[in-house]
Every structure is written in structure tokens, then in C-alpha cells.
């Protein structure tokens, strides 16, 4: 077959077997510094935020820069009275939800209830100036509050030293904001992408379950309760205090929980009545407060909030505690709650942006979240984010811009200045009912069922996160889910797919014979597609897998009595990059194939791949004439050679016969 190969090699300078020859181009060499710069730019700046500054005068660049940092300067000049009317209604509506939720969620974090109102005043103002979402409603979140209470409880006990606990909560919020802003400034938002959809569904559902169980303390009117969050500890704490259960508190809690769930049911049935569900928490607080005041419920075993200090946020910058004794715990808490707040907030913002057909910048959101939490930590606030329930109410209320957050903040400010004494008799049990009603909406069993039908591994990640949170701790569930997600990514890299391609009848198209039943093998030619970049992590696997494919194909041809395997074609269209281990692997495959008397051809390697193959001299080893642009061209060339060999063989046999 050597003569035919020589004939082909010379003819290939003009065309594959007389046909058109579309040669794969080797890109010109690029300086290392320039290549590194392009790689970093693509990794950290895929959206190219500086493109709008090109070819602009200095004054225009300054204006564009200010608009980029403070998006309110971009849409503010176009703001209209009609927008304000819509935002005013939306802002008042979400304020009615933010006030009872803020008080409730602060209790989840083992913090004074007033901090929930503080955290619904300053952070929304910062976000309205720096955020890029029109629909996100900022404030405290249940999962973040529970996570902070759980993790900070491991550093210091809130009951033993409430002042120190409060200061460390401010410090953890500061670190959460610093971490969030750093991710945005250094364009490291892709880190949050490791929290997959399945991870978030499982984690949120597990955390919501834990939150609901924790609220049984308030429903049953218990004074002492476990600080652990796992279901076993919670149930043990409940059933070892059966004699301390207060039926008055339980009846009141169940009544208001039924009312809240009923309001949500009607709002879901008729979306135009969303305001019923939105106003239900505030009306519950008002009715429960009046009932407790008129019946002196605190004398009958119903716990009340007590005195709330009047006035807006006092400064807390001097209360930040950077003592080395507690520093590692507060940093750890800040990073974990910061990641969770970002994941939830950005996911919620993008969901509503999709409905209104506009784009939000993930890195801008991170900076906005970070700055509002840094400012919040200095003004007596704890972790703030963009909760789904509040944002959904904001969206349904018809908000137009982030001004709805400003309206909500001013409504909270009025409450802080004048209305806090009215909450003195608010029963804690009604706050527990509000939290349970909100959390039941986060247990997304429908999403889990969907994951089961679509992707079993994603379902496993989801269930692992849920079980880890419910039966171990929030941190364990989160680490377990992220670990499984990362393991899946590593498996994709370490065990990439290799497919055998066949020809679709009456075409020059080649597709997987497993997917397309009518695709047929090409006699004497094995076509393999590699579906991943080739790195050190998968090079050994690919070498062994390619060898197995060759063995299997030779066995198949022998069993059918067909032509022996003559060519192996590697389709490398999906191979975007390769390292030195991958090049060594290809070199070994070439030697294995040569020993079997088979010829290797390659199809459409990417620019980075062909450049490295050229620098490593592998192209000289394989022969550049054996690099093809399409699978069709490669198969055509191989068939041409097979045909030439057959003709030559027939000619030799005929000549031998004539001589005899």
C-alpha cells in the first residue's frame, strides 16, 4: 500500500484524489504575553465591558464610566411620572411584606428584631443606585438568616453574650459584602456558577424544611430550644418538652398559618389578586397585635416581641470586631452566606429580567450586593440579598425600576421613626407562622421531580443537598452538593465521550451510529469523534479507549469477513485545546496504529490544537497531507487510496496471469 500512499501524497498537493483540497490553516505564532492576555480577557471579561468606551472622547468616557458604576445615572434621566406611579404602588406593597418579614427573619439569625427593619432601609437605597435589576426587591432572606445564626452560633452563643454576638454578626456581614464586591471587581463571578441549579433547589428546599422545623419553637411557645439545625436534634428538643407546650400559642399560630396559606392559594388561582398574598403578613401582624393587646395574651403563655427602639439605623462601624480569636469564624460565615446570597439574588434577578426581556450584569450585581452589605454592616444591618418572595411581589405589583426599593426604604424609615411602639404586643408565634408560610413556597418538589425525569445525576445532587442540610447541617449539605457537582465536572473532563461515526445514506454527512440507526460504517475506515479538550486528566483514558475501538472494529470486520481496517480518522472538531500530555497521547496512538499497518488521519483540529501540534513536530510525524477539513474529505481520500490499492492489486494479478 506504500506506493498508493506515495501517489496520494503527491496528488494531495493539488487535491484529495483529484478533488478539492481545503487545507487546515495553521494560525500564525502569537507572543506568549499576548496569548496570555487574550486568555485572561476571555475568562474574566467575556462580555467585554470596555467596548463602549472605545473611540470616545474623555468627557464621554467619564460619563459612561459613572453610568457603568451607578446604573441609576443611565436610566434616571429617562424616568417618568408614569414610572413613578407604578413604582410607588409596588414599593408600598413590598414594604407591607418587608416589615413583618424583616422582624421575623432577624429572629432566625438570633438577632434583635429591630435589625430586620434596619436591614430593609439602608441596603435597598444602595442597591437602587448601583444595581442593574429593575425587579429585585432587597432585604433580609430566611435562608441567609438561618445560615448566619447557625454558623455564628458555633463562634459565640447569642444568649450568653448577645452584645458580642451582635458585633460579630455585623463583622460577618462586612466580610460577606467585601467578598461579594471582590468577586465583581475582579470579575470572578464564574465561581458562583459552581452552585448548579440542582444544588440550589436541594439546598433551598432543605434549608426551608429546617427553618419550618425551627419555627415549632415559636408555634409551641417554648422558651428553650436546641441551637442545632438537623431534624433529629430539633425533634428531640420538641418531644422532650411536651409538658411545656402551650396550646394557646399553638392555636393562634395554626389559625394565622391557615390564613396565610389560604391567601397564597387565592393569589395563585387569580394572579391579579397577588396583593392579597402580599398584604397577608402585615394584616396578620396587625390582627395578632390587636388580639394580643386586647386579651393580654402575654399573661396566658403567648410570647410577644416587646419594646422596639424608635429611630433610624445607628452607626455600627465602631462595633466591627476583628479580634483574632473570632476572625476565622466570622470570615468563614461571611464567605458562605455571601455566596448563598449572591446565588439566590442573581438567579432571581435573571429570572425576572428574562420575563421583561432585558439583561442584568452579574458582575455589577455582585458589586452592588457587596457595597450594600458593607454599608449595611456599618449602619446596624445584617446580611441583605434579593429574596424571591419579595421580588415576586415587586414584579407582580408592576414595578418599572429600582425606585420601588427606594419607596420601600422610605416606608420602612417612617415605620422606624414613628410606628415601632405599635409592634410591642406582636406575638412571636405570628412571626413563626409568617416564616413557615414563606418557607413552604421554597420547598420545590416539582423541580426535584423534573430533575429525576431529565437527569438522574442532577437529582442525586439535589437530594444529597437536601438530606445533608436536613439530617446533618446547612454547611454539610452545601459542601456535599458542591462536591458532587464538582465531581461531575471532573468526570466530564476525565472521561470524555468518544463516538464512532457512520455515513448517513445518500449524503456526505457523518453522525454517531449509536444515535442514528441508519448511519452505516465505512468499510476499512474507523471514524472516531473526540468530544472534549485533551488534557493530562483524560489523555490515558483516550489512548486506551481509542485502542479498544480499533480492537472492536477489527474483530467486527473479521467476524463479517469484510475488508481489514486500513484507516483511523479522528474527528477533532470539538477539541478546543490540548496540552503536552495530550500531544504525547496522540504520538503513542500514532505508533500503535503504525505497528498494526493502519494509517491515521485527523479532521479539523482547532486553532490552538493545530498550533501546538505544529510546534511539537507532530504534524511532521503524521504528515500535513493527512490533516483534513471535514470528515467527508478524509473519507473520500481514504476511499481513493483503497480504490487505488485494489486497482493496483488487480493489475499485478492480471500481469502475473499473462506471464504464466
Amino acid at each position: 500500500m506504500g506506493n498508493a500512499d506515495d501517489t496520494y501524497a503527491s496528488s494531495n498537493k493539488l487535491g484529495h484524489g483529484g478533488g478539492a483540497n481545503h487545507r487546515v490553516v495553521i494560525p500564525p505564532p502569537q507572543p506568549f504575553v499576548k496569548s496570555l492576555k487574550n486568555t485572561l480577557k476571555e475568562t474574566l471579561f467575556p462580555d467585554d465591558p470596555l467596548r463602549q468606551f472605545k473611540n470616545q472622547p474623555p468627557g464621554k468616557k467619564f460619563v459612561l464610566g459613572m453610568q457603568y458604576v451607578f446604573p441609576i445615572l443611565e436610566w434616571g434621566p429617562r424616568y417618568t411620572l408614569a414610572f413613578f406611579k407604578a413604582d410607588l404602588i409596588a414599593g408600598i406593597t413590598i414594604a407591607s411584606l418587608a416589615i413583618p418579614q424583616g422582624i421575623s427573619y432577624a429572629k432566625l439569625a438570633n438577632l434583635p428584631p429591630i435589625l430586620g427593619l434596619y436591614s430593609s432601609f439602608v441596603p435597598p437605597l444602595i442597591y437602587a443606585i448601583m444595581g442593574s435589576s429593575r425587579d429585585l426587591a432587597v432585604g433580609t432572606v430566611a435562608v441567609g438568616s438561618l445560615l448566619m445564626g447557625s454558623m455564628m452560633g458555633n463562634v459565640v452563643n447569642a444568649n450568653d453574650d448577645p452584645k458580642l454576638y451582635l458585633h460579630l454578626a455585623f463583622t460577618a456581614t462586612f466580610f460577606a459584602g467585601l467578598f461579594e464586591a471582590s468577586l465583581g471587581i475582579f470579575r470572578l463571578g464564574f465561581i458562583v456558577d459552581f452552585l448548579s441549579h440542582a444544588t440550589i433547589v436541594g439546598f433551598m428546599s432543605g434549608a426551608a424544611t429546617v427553618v419550618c422545623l425551627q419555627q415549632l419553637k415559636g408555634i409551641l411557645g417554648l422558651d428553650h430550644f436546641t441551637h442545632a439545625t438537623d431534624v433529629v436534634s430539633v425533634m428531640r428538643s420538641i418531644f422532650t418538652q411536651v409538658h411545656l407546650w402551650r396550646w394557646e400559642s399553638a392555636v393562634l399560630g395554626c389559625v394565622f398559618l391557615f390564613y396565610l396559606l389560604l391567601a397564597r392559594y387565592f393569589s395563585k388561582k387569580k394572579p391579579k389578586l397577588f396583593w392579597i398574598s402580599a398584604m397577608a403578613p402585615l394584616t396578620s401582624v396587625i390582627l395578632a397585635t390587636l388580639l394580643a393587646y386586647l386579651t393580654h395574651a402575654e399573661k396566658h403563655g403567648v410570647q410577644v416581641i416587646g419594646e422596639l427602639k424608635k429611630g433610624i439605623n445607628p452607626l455600627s462601624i465602631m462595633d466591627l470586631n476583628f479580634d483574632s480569636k473570632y476572625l476565622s469564624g466570622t470570615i468563614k460565615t461571611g464567605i458562605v452566606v455571601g455566596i448563598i446570597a449572591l446565588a439566590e439574588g442573581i438567579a432571581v434577578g435573571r429570572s425576572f429580567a428574562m420575563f421583561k426581556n432585558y439583561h442584568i450584569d452579574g458582575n455589577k450585581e455582585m458589586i452592588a450586593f457587596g457595597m450594600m452589605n458593607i454599608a449595611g454592616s456599618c449602619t446596624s444591618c445584617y446580611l441583605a440579598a434579593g429574596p424571591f418572595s419579595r421580588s415576586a411581589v415587586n414584579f407582580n405589583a408592576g414595578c418599572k425600576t429600582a425606585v420601588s426599593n427606594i419607596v420601600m426604604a422610605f416606608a420602612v424609615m417612617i415605620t422606624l421613626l414613628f410606628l415601632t411602639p405599635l409592634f410591642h404586643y406582636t406575638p412571636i408565634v405570628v412571626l413563626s407562622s409568617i416564616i413557615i408560610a414563606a418557607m413552604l413556597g421554597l420547598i420545590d418538589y416539582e423541580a426535584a421531580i423534573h430533575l429525576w425525569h431529565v437527569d438522574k445525576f442532577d437529582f442525586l445532587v439535589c437530594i444529597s443537598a437536601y438530606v445533608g442540610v436536613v439530617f446533618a447541617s446547612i454547611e454539610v449539605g452545601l459542601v456535599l452538593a458542591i462536591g458532587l457537582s464538582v465531581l461531575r465536572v471532573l468526570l466530564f473532563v476525565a472521561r470524555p465521550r468518544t463516538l464512532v461515526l457512520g455515513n448517513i445514506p445518500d449524503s456526505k454527512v457523518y453522525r454517531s451510529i449509536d444515535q442514528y440507526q441508519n448511519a452505516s460504517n465505512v468499510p476499512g475506515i474507523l471514524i472516531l469523534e473526540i468530544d472534549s479538550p485533551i488534557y493530562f486528566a483524560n489523555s490515558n483514558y483516550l489512548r486506551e479507549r481509542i485502542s479498544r475501538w480499533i480492537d472492536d472494529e477489527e474483530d467486527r470486520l473479521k467476524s463479517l469477513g469484510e475488508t481489514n481496517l486500513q484507516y483511523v480518522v479522528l474527528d477533532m472538531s470539538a477539541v478546543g485545546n490540548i496540552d503536552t500530555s495530550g500531544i504525547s497521547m496522540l504520538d503513542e496512538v500514532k505508533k500503535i496504529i503504525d505497528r498494526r499497518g493502519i494509517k491515521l488521519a485527523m479532521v479539523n483540529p482547532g486553532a490552538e490544537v493545530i498550533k501546538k501540534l505544529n510546534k511539537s513536530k507532530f504534524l511532521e510525524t503524521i504528515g500535513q497531507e493527512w490533516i483534513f477539513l471535514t470528515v467527508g474529505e478524509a473519507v473520500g481520500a481514504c476511499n481513493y487510496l483503497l480504490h487505488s490499492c485494489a486497482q493496483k492489486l488487480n493489475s499485478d494479478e492480471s500481469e502475473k496471469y499473462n506471464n504464466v
Side-chain angles (χ1 to χ4, degrees), residues 184-299:
I185 292 170
F186 295 108
R187 315 289 292 185
L188 299 176
F190 62 86
I191 293 175
V192 180
D193 294 338
F194 281 98
L195 290 173
S196 65
H197 172 67
T199 301
I200 293 174
V201 168
F203 177 78
M204 289 295 183
S205 298
T209 302
V210 168
V211 169
C212 290
L213 293 173
Q214 286 278 339
Q215 296 318 298
L216 293 176
K217 173 189 176 183
I219 295 290
L220 299 174
L222 298 175
D223 293 317
H224 303 287
F225 206 70
T226 179
H227 292 288
T229 57
D230 63 284
V231 64
V232 176
S233 299
V234 171
M235 299 311 290
R236 184 187 295 119
S237 183
I238 290 171
F239 288 103
T240 54
Q241 303 183 73
V242 175
H243 59 288
L244 298 177
W245 291 6
R246 291 170 177 158
W247 68 267
E248 301 93 340
S249 180
V251 169
L252 191 63
C254 291
V255 168
F256 281 104
L257 179 59
F258 176 76
Y259 165 67
L260 290 164
L261 295 178
L262 190 65
R264 177 186 294 174
Y265 173 79
F266 279 117
S267 294
K268 281 188 175 181
K269 283 291 183 181
K270 295 186 177 181
K272 290 184 178 180
L273 300 178
F274 72 91
W275 55 271
I276 295 177
S277 179
M279 298 293 290
L282 185 60
T283 53
S284 296
V285 168
I286 294 171
L287 291 173
T289 303
L290 285 172
L291 184 63
Y293 175 75
L294 295 174
T295 61
H296 302 286
E298 73 276 10
K299 296 179 181 179

Side-chain angles (χ1 to χ4, degrees), residues 302-314:
V302 177
Q303 300 171 343
V304 296
I305 289 178
E307 183 181 358
L308 289 180
K309 188 168 62 173
K310 188 188 292 188
I312 59 173
N313 305 34

Side-chain angles (χ1 to χ4, degrees), residues 447-462:
I449 294 172
H450 178 72
L451 291 174
W452 169 259
H453 289 305
V454 175
D455 192 319
K456 299 297 189 292
F457 195 94
D458 268 352
F459 177 78
L460 176 63
V461 171
C462 176

Side-chain angles (χ1 to χ4, degrees), residues 378-404:
C378 299
T379 52
S380 299
C381 303
Y382 78 104
L383 183 75
F388 176 80
S389 58
R390 205 177 299 183
S391 300
V393 169
N394 194 32
F395 176 84
N396 289 326
C399 70
K400 299 297 183 183
T401 67
V403 169
S404 60

